[in-house]
Amino acid sequence: MGKILRETGKPSSSTASPASSSAPATTSSTSVTETVRGSHHFKITGYSLSKGIGIGKYVASDTFSVGGYDWAIYFYPDGKSVEDNATYVSLFIALASDGTDVRALFELTLLDQSGKERHKVHSHFERTLESGPYTLKYRGSMWGYKRFFKRTALETSDYLKDDCLSVNCSVGVVRSHTEGPRIYSIGIPPSNIGEQFGQLLESGRGTDVSFEVNGEIFAAHKLVLAARSPVFRAQLFGPMKDQNTDCIKVEDMEAPVFKASLHYMYWDTLPDLHELTGLNTKWATTLMAQHLLAAADRYALERLRLMCEASLCEDVAINTVATTLALAKRVTKKKKTPHKRVCNIFPRLGLSAVMQTDGFDYLKESCPSVLTELLEYVARFTEHSDLMFKHRNDVLLDGSDINGRRLFFSYFKDLVGREVTVELKNDLAIRGTLHSVDQYLNIKLENTRVVDQDKYPHMLSVRNCFIRGSVVRYVQLPPEGVDVELLHDATRREARGG
């Protein structure tokens, strides 16, 4: 930092001071341009099933953050450009969040899965760029290659293994800032207010309210509880406050759960659930997290509720996912789509396996509306689904795995001669009489008619058609044509291996 000299008068040459005759001090600053770099691995399974999705349509990776912006990888199985006529696959990286003139460097790598390390790499990094980093003007701007790889060559190469492709994407966001000189730097320790309040609870000093929970007594401080929870604030200081606050009895809650709630309100962290339950198993901690989620809802502890949701989503398993979803529905009181993070677990675990658990029966009996919404959600958001089965009674089963395919094949064989509606992935819906179906779920229809005749007038003359299973989105049957219990039983048998 430099001095600023202020001239207060014009001294005579005989009385000039040394300071007035010296040169003014100078200041300096530095502009620093750097690259904030991150990477994302994207695995594309079921490549052969994605073919035929349509030119210009893509499968997308999950979004990932680099340099303060969100990004996503787009893979076009049939290519991005109509003029290429699906000869090439296309690969792009896209800006997935709001941003203007975002300057970045990119690297797209198709991994060689043979172990020979002969990866296909397109990179901005470590080479001279004539025009500098690439600039993305707005959300949705992309960088990549329309002709990334010829499809016929890709399908016989070492890049494709077990019908899967692996892509690495590196993003380097270019950012600039100006630095000035620093005279001093003082290290500031992080806040420890949670630790101080936690020690206050453990010491028991100054407590002025007690709670009896399932025979155990817990002492606390009214002001702390009121500051943390609007429910306690109303209970302890509101116009309808409890008359006896010396010892308040808490119903319908286990003592360890209330202890964990107090721990959060003082420490602002989740307690060690293994230590709290005394059991070193995921099942025990998941059960405790479920009860703690209910307590967070009861006392309006929003941050604790989100922490419990995150914990439950991380440790969700086949035997807990259904009860977790039922609990989340009651706690969040949402009337529409169930919690997305929990729903996304179902396709990965396998709906058939989940249906065999006691939790699924509990979900079906206690929250039938949630079950319907869940099945609709799985149909809409499952990225790896190749085929879904649906009817108007809201029963939906995932047909992307081999068990589901065998189930549908065996079931549809008994429906030959019945009228069905087939919706394709390009939104075209065709109604007709089911003539035949094979093990790959290729479907032949007779006496066909298009559902939306105004949108597809060129299809009015079609009376019979053959539909490949890979382009089918839904097969819809009339309610009287579906035996729901038979489907459920068949699904369970398939999951058990016949």
XYZ file of all heavy atoms in Angstrom, residues 21-57:
263
model
N 10.286 17.179 -0.557
C 11.168 17.101 -1.713
C 11.336 15.683 -2.237
O 11.905 15.479 -3.292
C 12.554 17.670 -1.341
O 13.111 16.897 -0.293
N 10.847 14.672 -1.474
C 10.972 13.288 -1.914
C 9.863 12.923 -2.882
O 8.809 13.549 -2.897
C 10.953 12.329 -0.714
O 9.707 12.443 -0.056
N 10.088 11.882 -3.716
C 9.085 11.442 -4.687
C 7.924 10.749 -3.984
O 8.118 10.059 -2.979
C 9.731 10.484 -5.677
N 6.670 10.931 -4.479
C 5.525 10.253 -3.853
C 5.677 8.733 -3.932
O 6.266 8.209 -4.880
C 4.341 10.730 -4.682
C 4.807 11.946 -5.402
C 6.279 11.767 -5.609
N 5.136 8.016 -2.919
C 5.163 6.554 -2.940
C 4.235 6.030 -4.033
O 3.239 6.664 -4.379
C 4.749 6.001 -1.585
N 4.548 4.849 -4.595
C 3.721 4.250 -5.647
C 3.031 2.993 -5.120
O 3.507 2.347 -4.191
C 4.574 3.877 -6.865
O 5.578 2.950 -6.452
C 5.213 5.109 -7.467
N 1.907 2.693 -5.693
C 1.172 1.466 -5.343
C 1.189 0.531 -6.532
O 1.518 0.927 -7.656
C -0.284 1.794 -4.952
O -0.923 2.430 -6.060
C -0.323 2.700 -3.741
N 0.818 -0.722 -6.300
C 0.825 -1.707 -7.381
C -0.274 -2.732 -7.165
O -0.777 -2.902 -6.053
C 2.185 -2.424 -7.444
O 2.389 -3.186 -6.265
N -0.658 -3.387 -8.228
C -1.622 -4.492 -8.163
C -1.315 -5.447 -9.301
O -0.607 -5.110 -10.247
C -3.066 -3.976 -8.267
O -3.269 -3.320 -9.503
N -1.867 -6.653 -9.203
C -1.594 -7.696 -10.194
C -2.893 -8.344 -10.650
O -3.734 -8.709 -9.816
C -0.668 -8.782 -9.605
O 0.534 -8.172 -9.137
C -0.331 -9.835 -10.656
N -3.054 -8.460 -11.953
C -4.196 -9.189 -12.504
C -3.793 -10.657 -12.660
O -2.802 -10.967 -13.323
C -4.614 -8.608 -13.857
O -5.630 -9.414 -14.434
N -4.561 -11.537 -12.053
C -4.251 -12.967 -12.074
C -5.347 -13.700 -12.852
O -6.524 -13.606 -12.515
C -4.141 -13.545 -10.647
C -3.846 -15.031 -10.707
C -3.073 -12.807 -9.853
N -4.949 -14.397 -13.910
C -5.877 -15.231 -14.675
C -5.479 -16.689 -14.469
O -4.325 -17.063 -14.681
C -5.833 -14.878 -16.171
O -6.186 -13.503 -16.339
C -6.814 -15.747 -16.951
N -6.424 -17.484 -14.046
C -6.130 -18.870 -13.728
C -7.258 -19.768 -14.205
O -8.348 -19.292 -14.547
C -5.930 -19.052 -12.221
C -7.134 -18.625 -11.395
C -6.881 -18.671 -9.902
O -5.755 -19.029 -9.535
O -7.794 -18.350 -9.126
N -6.983 -21.064 -14.213
C -7.970 -22.055 -14.645
C -8.390 -22.911 -13.456
O -7.552 -23.529 -12.806
C -7.393 -22.970 -15.743
O -6.970 -22.169 -16.842
C -8.442 -23.957 -16.224
N -9.686 -22.904 -13.170
C -10.250 -23.774 -12.134
C -10.733 -25.040 -12.829
O -11.650 -25.004 -13.651
C -11.405 -23.087 -11.392
C -11.975 -24.005 -10.324
C -10.935 -21.785 -10.774
N -10.119 -26.157 -12.508
C -10.326 -27.370 -13.292
C -11.049 -28.453 -12.486
O -10.845 -28.593 -11.280
C -8.976 -27.910 -13.773
C -9.068 -29.072 -14.757
C -7.741 -29.307 -15.441
N -7.765 -30.485 -16.311
C -6.779 -30.825 -17.124
N -5.685 -30.087 -17.186
N -6.875 -31.898 -17.902
N -11.895 -29.200 -13.145
C -12.588 -30.341 -12.552
C -12.937 -31.339 -13.643
O -12.870 -31.031 -14.842
N -13.324 -32.541 -13.239
C -13.628 -33.577 -14.233
C -14.818 -34.406 -13.791
O -15.206 -34.393 -12.619
C -12.408 -34.484 -14.466
O -12.041 -35.132 -13.271
N -15.389 -35.133 -14.743
C -16.563 -35.974 -14.478
C -16.461 -37.232 -15.342
O -16.093 -37.151 -16.521
C -17.843 -35.215 -14.813
C -19.099 -35.978 -14.504
N -19.620 -36.080 -13.228
C -19.952 -36.674 -15.305
C -20.731 -36.797 -13.267
N -20.952 -37.174 -14.508
N -16.763 -38.384 -14.746
C -16.775 -39.651 -15.481
C -18.220 -40.038 -15.765
O -19.058 -40.073 -14.874
C -16.089 -40.753 -14.670
C -16.085 -42.092 -15.368
N -15.284 -42.357 -16.455
C -16.806 -43.220 -15.142
C -15.509 -43.592 -16.863
N -16.432 -44.139 -16.085
N -18.510 -40.329 -17.010
C -19.869 -40.649 -17.464
C -19.852 -42.031 -18.109
O -19.192 -42.245 -19.119
C -20.339 -39.596 -18.463
C -21.743 -39.788 -18.974
C -22.734 -40.331 -18.183
C -22.085 -39.395 -20.271
C -24.024 -40.502 -18.652
C -23.369 -39.562 -20.761
C -24.335 -40.111 -19.935
N -20.576 -42.986 -17.502
C -20.663 -44.342 -18.048
C -22.009 -44.502 -18.731
O -23.055 -44.241 -18.133
C -20.493 -45.381 -16.939
C -20.429 -46.811 -17.455
C -20.120 -47.798 -16.339
C -19.978 -49.216 -16.876
N -19.679 -50.187 -15.803
N -21.977 -44.941 -19.983
C -23.185 -45.105 -20.783
C -23.430 -46.600 -20.946
O -22.704 -47.292 -21.665
C -23.023 -44.430 -22.158
C -22.685 -42.949 -21.975
C -24.286 -44.597 -22.993
C -22.133 -42.295 -23.218
N -24.420 -47.128 -20.250
C -24.739 -48.549 -20.332
C -25.886 -48.765 -21.321
O -26.692 -47.876 -21.559
C -25.135 -49.094 -18.958
O -26.314 -48.425 -18.506
C -24.015 -48.859 -17.941
N -25.947 -49.967 -21.866
C -27.019 -50.288 -22.818
C -26.916 -49.477 -24.097
O -27.916 -48.963 -24.596
N -25.699 -49.381 -24.643
C -25.499 -48.577 -25.859
C -26.399 -49.062 -27.000
O -27.034 -48.258 -27.691
C -24.024 -48.633 -26.285
C -23.795 -48.194 -27.698
C -23.780 -46.845 -28.034
C -23.615 -49.135 -28.725
C -23.595 -46.432 -29.354
C -23.422 -48.730 -30.048
C -23.414 -47.380 -30.354
O -23.241 -46.981 -31.646
N -26.465 -50.373 -27.205
C -27.240 -50.893 -28.339
C -28.724 -50.555 -28.211
O -29.417 -50.391 -29.208
C -27.053 -52.405 -28.453
O -27.527 -53.057 -27.286
N -29.199 -50.451 -26.964
C -30.608 -50.115 -26.759
C -30.888 -48.642 -27.032
O -32.023 -48.255 -27.289
C -31.028 -50.466 -25.327
C -30.918 -51.940 -24.935
C -31.268 -52.119 -23.470
C -31.826 -52.793 -25.811
N -29.844 -47.815 -26.918
C -30.050 -46.380 -27.146
C -30.097 -46.037 -28.631
O -30.574 -44.960 -28.996
C -28.934 -45.571 -26.474
O -27.681 -45.802 -27.115
N -29.620 -46.931 -29.476
C -29.689 -46.662 -30.911
C -31.145 -46.616 -31.360
O -31.981 -47.381 -30.887
C -28.927 -47.741 -31.691
C -27.425 -47.728 -31.446
C -26.671 -48.564 -32.477
C -27.111 -50.005 -32.480
N -26.338 -50.808 -33.455
N -31.422 -45.704 -32.250
C -32.793 -45.542 -32.715
C -33.571 -44.530 -31.927
O -34.755 -44.319 -32.171
N -32.923 -43.888 -30.952
C -33.614 -42.871 -30.156
C -34.014 -41.683 -31.006
O -34.961 -40.971 -30.706
C -32.701 -42.425 -28.973
C -33.481 -41.593 -27.965
C -31.488 -41.682 -29.457
C -32.672 -41.220 -26.743
N -33.247 -41.446 -32.090
C -33.577 -40.357 -33.004
C -32.427 -39.375 -33.141
O -31.727 -39.085 -32.169
N -32.250 -38.869 -34.336
C -31.203 -37.876 -34.595
C -31.522 -36.595 -33.812
O -32.661 -36.127 -33.811
C -31.087 -37.578 -36.105
C -30.655 -38.842 -36.855
C -30.121 -36.440 -36.372
C -30.658 -38.685 -38.363
N -30.512 -36.070 -33.144
C -30.692 -34.847 -32.365
C -31.152 -35.092 -30.945
O -31.250 -34.154 -30.157
N -31.395 -36.363 -30.583
C -31.781 -36.688 -29.211
C -30.587 -37.291 -28.485
O -29.781 -37.997 -29.083
C -32.967 -37.639 -29.191
C -34.240 -37.011 -29.760
C -35.442 -37.923 -29.586
C -36.705 -37.251 -30.097
N -37.907 -38.099 -29.912
